[in-house]
Amino acid sequence: QLLMEPFGADIDLAEAVLKDYNAHLVRKASSMKGHYADADALEKLIQQGDPLHYEVFEKAVPQETGHLQFGLSKLQPGTVGEEFFMTKGHYHEIPEAAEVYLCLRGKGYMLMKTTEGECRAEYMERGRVVYVPPYWAHRSVNVGDEPLITFYVYPGDAGHNYGDIEEEGFPKRIYKRGDKVEIL
Ligand code: F6R
Ligand code: ZN
């Protein structure tokens, strides 16, 4: 078989920064159309300069069976209307591909749902690991006032399926009510 060269990578754990990443995904507010309950508030945010919403930093590996993709996801703090900033969320194209998240910084929830309508919210803060089992779509939500940064690992060939999420969203949304967090 074709052997890949092993490699190491450094994460500054205090800052939660992956050094020497070679793949970088950026999503701004304008990538989030259709995802928030208050579409007008999102439109306003886009008009006001379309701020950075979240980024993914990776040490790229082949997107093939046997490999493991890993990297950092960094979600900015903020709200659209009263709804906390979140990622789009996705199923994996190979739906039985699971994923592990380790929270390095910030506070938030991993929202997970199934095509059958099950929905769970798992709390995340520094040091907490969330296991996303096979078949669960997953979306990160930042309920804090600093970036929510997680380290993730998932099968190399898993792929992303944004499927029904843009039309149907998740059964639960997470709102900022004063200084309270409400999961509805
Ligand atoms: C990979 C994974 C994360 C997300 C990232 C961006 O399977 O779950 O790396 O890709 O948090 O979220 P999406 O892809 O939903 O925009
Ligand atoms: Zn995933």
Side-chain angles (χ1 to χ4, degrees):
Q1 69 277 37
L2 232 116
L3 280 181
M4 180 178 161
E5 223 22 67
F7 68 92
D10 296 298
I11 295 172
D12 177 334
L13 284 175
E15 292 295 320
V17 171
L18 174 63
K19 295 180 187 164
D20 303 320
Y21 59 86
N22 53 17
H24 185 202
L25 169 87
V26 177
R27 290 211 211 276
K28 297 183 172 194
S30 54
S31 327
M32 295 301 292
K33 287 186 182 175
H35 287 291
Y36 288 102
D38 189 341
D40 292 343
L42 180 65
E43 201 48 49
K44 224 178 249 170
L45 194 63
I46 296 167
Q47 298 308 322
Q48 285 165 3
D50 196 11
L52 177 66
H53 221 69
Y54 58 98
E55 295 163 276
V56 178
F57 302 90
E58 280 189 352
K59 288 289 259 185
V61 302
Q63 294 177 22
E64 292 167 8
T65 317
H67 282 279
L68 294 170
Q69 310 275 356
F70 69 93
L72 294 193
S73 161
K74 179 178 185 182
L75 172 60
Q76 294 299 316
T79 53
V80 173
E82 294 190 302
E83 195 173 1
F84 285 111
F85 278 11
M86 60 195 186
T87 62
K88 285 168 175 273
H90 57 265
Y91 299 93
H92 291 144
E93 229 161 73
I94 295 181
E96 55 269 56
E99 186 159 351
V100 171
Y101 279 86
L102 168 62
C103 182
L104 301 179
R105 200 169 154 183
K107 306 218 180 305
Y109 285 87
M110 186 62 72
L111 265 186
M112 291 167 276
K113 72 155 186 168
T114 66
T115 51
E116 264 73 60
E118 294 290 322
C119 189
R120 304 283 185 277
E122 195 61 49
Y123 184 63
M124 296 193 286
E125 63 185 356
R126 184 175 174 79
R128 190 158 170 81
V129 174
V130 173
Y131 184 63
V132 180
Y135 306 110
W136 288 81
H138 41 288
R139 152 181 288 175
S140 308
V141 183
N142 185 347
V143 304
D145 45 23
E146 63 164 326
L148 175 69
I149 306 180
T150 51
F151 173 81
Y152 62 83
V153 185
Y154 66 100
D157 56 351
H160 294 87
N161 171 9
Y162 295 91
D164 61 13
I165 291 168
E166 227 154 285
E167 298 83 56
E168 292 177 19
F170 280 60
K172 292 179 186 175
R173 292 182 178 276
I174 308 187
Y175 294 99
K176 180 176 166 71
R177 308 276 198 222
D179 47 15
K180 289 235 165 64
V181 174
E182 245 178 55
I183 305 177
L184 293 177

